[in-house]
């Protein structure tokens, strides 16, 4: 099945992740692009419908797709669900992890804030952490790599969450958990990054192209910790030169 539709979805809606895929070896693209396109479809589902219940129905459709793939049903005729179905079957992706990734997005359907920081951390683990684990698993990572992959995914997810905080507020959401502050969340993300680095040896070299998706995490988290007002003002970003340099360094060195 053609990957063109998946590639176009990722390029159009997540250009940073698309750059990471383009910096990875060619053989990884057929494994990563369907997964990243699926993640985008799930992430967008809560925002394309005015009614939360309609958004939840969209998420349930994806949960049904994943469950059907796990049960060995025929692949659906859908530009993303079809390639995802084949990826689940061929790479043996854990259906439970995919399902929790979808279920985590229920928070985006509603306007209630996270109950506390632990709830936000659980959301990031199921969404960004789960996606990173699925990506390295698709490239052949062993079970022992899950902890490191999830920690790195959570760090990247926290960086992305802080970048999106101003827009979430503009859309009527309440992203900051009670009792939490931007600098503290950034430090938590840096703790996860340190955890992932300490366990880096559990990640075989062959799966490290999947880690390129988090190439900006460390720099963004350090910037958010140092200048929290950048997060509040929706200005947390790296220069184009810094972005390209960091991506090239990680792609060449295999380190993060």
């Amino acid at each position: 099945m053609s990957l063109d539709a998946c590639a176009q979805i990722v390029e159009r809606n997540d250009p940073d992740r698309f750059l990471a895929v383009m910096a990875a070896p060619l053989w990884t693209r057929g494994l990563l692009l369907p997964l990243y396109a699926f993640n985008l479809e799930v992430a967008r589902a809560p925002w394309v419908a005015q009614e939360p219940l309609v958004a939840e129905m969209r998420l349930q459709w994806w949960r049904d797709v994943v469950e059907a793939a796990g049960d060995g049903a025929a692949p659906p005729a859908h530009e993303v669900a079809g390639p995802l179905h084949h990826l689940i079957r061929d790479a043996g992706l854990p259906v439970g992890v995919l399902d929790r990734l979808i279920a985590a997005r229920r928070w985006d359907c509603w306007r209630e804030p996270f109950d506390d920081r632990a709830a936000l951390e659980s959301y990031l683990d199921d969404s960004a952490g789960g996606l990173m684990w699925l990506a390295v698993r698709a490239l052949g990572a062993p079970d022992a790599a899950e902890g490191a992959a999830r920690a790195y995914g959570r760090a990247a997810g926290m960086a992305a969450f802080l970048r999106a905080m101003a827009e979430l507020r503009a859309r009527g959401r309440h992203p900051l958990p009670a009792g939490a502050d931007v600098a503290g969340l950034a430090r938590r993300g840096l703790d996860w990054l340190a955890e992932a680095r300490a366990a880096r040896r559990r990640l075989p070299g062959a799966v490290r192209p999947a880690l390129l998706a988090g190439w900006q995490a460390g720099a963004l988290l350090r910037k958010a910790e140092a200048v929290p007002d950048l997060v509040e003002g929706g200005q947390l970003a790296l220069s184009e030169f810094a972005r390209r340099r960091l991506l090239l360094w990680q792609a060449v060195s295999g380190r993060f």
Side-chain angles (χ1 to χ4, degrees), residues 120-240:
L120 169 60
E121 292 182 4
S122 178
Y123 168 87
L124 292 175
D125 186 58
D126 285 338
S127 55
L131 179 63
M132 190 66 75
W133 168 229
L134 289 164
V136 300
R137 184 73 174 196
L139 300 193
D143 290 344
E146 182 172 3
R150 281 188 175 275
Y152 188 52
R154 290 194 301 271
M158 182 67 85
F161 183 77
L162 293 174
R163 287 180 73 183
M165 189 173 289
E167 183 178 355
L168 288 169
R169 283 206 174 100
R171 294 189 176 206
R173 302 303 196 265
H174 305 279
L176 200 62
D181 62 87
V182 167
L185 293 180
R187 282 192 295 273
R188 185 59 170 149
L190 290 169
D191 288 343
W192 287 330
L193 183 58
E195 178 186 342
R197 285 171 172 165
R200 184 163 40 206
R201 69 186 65 180
R202 296 175 181 265
L203 294 161
V207 309
R208 292 190 180 179
L211 305 177
L212 289 173
W215 95 88
Q216 299 181 80
L220 288 171
L221 290 168
R222 288 189 293 272
K223 201 167 187 178
E225 181 187 25
V227 191
D229 286 348
L230 292 174
V231 173
E232 301 293 349
Q235 298 173 315
L236 181 62
L238 305 179
S239 70
E240 185 64 18

Side-chain angles (χ1 to χ4, degrees), residues 13-33:
N13 298 286
D14 194 347
D16 283 351
R17 204 179 298 274
F18 184 76
L19 278 177
V21 176
M22 292 300 101
L26 184 61
W27 68 269
T28 67
R29 296 178 188 178
L31 300 167
L32 296 176
L33 286 170

Side-chain angles (χ1 to χ4, degrees), residues 43-145:
R44 292 190 302 177
W47 304 101
V48 297
Q50 293 290 335
E51 292 295 328
L53 290 176
V54 175
E56 291 224 31
M57 289 174 62
R58 290 176 179 269
L59 292 178
Q60 184 59 50
W61 186 86
W62 281 104
R63 298 182 80 174
D64 292 343
V65 166
V66 167
E67 182 180 6
D71 290 341
H78 184 278
E79 62 182 5
V80 176
L84 176 70
H85 180 104
H86 290 290
L87 180 63
I88 293 171
R89 182 196 64 195
D90 297 342
L93 294 186
V95 171
V97 177
L98 287 155
D99 185 70
R100 287 193 295 277
L101 185 155
I102 301 166
R105 293 295 181 176
R106 293 184 66 249
W107 179 81
D108 297 313
C109 297
W110 303 86
R111 295 180 181 271
E112 287 75 13
F114 289 107
D115 291 338
D116 49 30
R117 198 177 81 170
L120 169 60
E121 292 182 4
S122 178
Y123 168 87
L124 292 175
D125 186 58
D126 285 338
S127 55
L131 179 63
M132 190 66 75
W133 168 229
L134 289 164
V136 300
R137 184 73 174 196
L139 300 193
D143 290 344

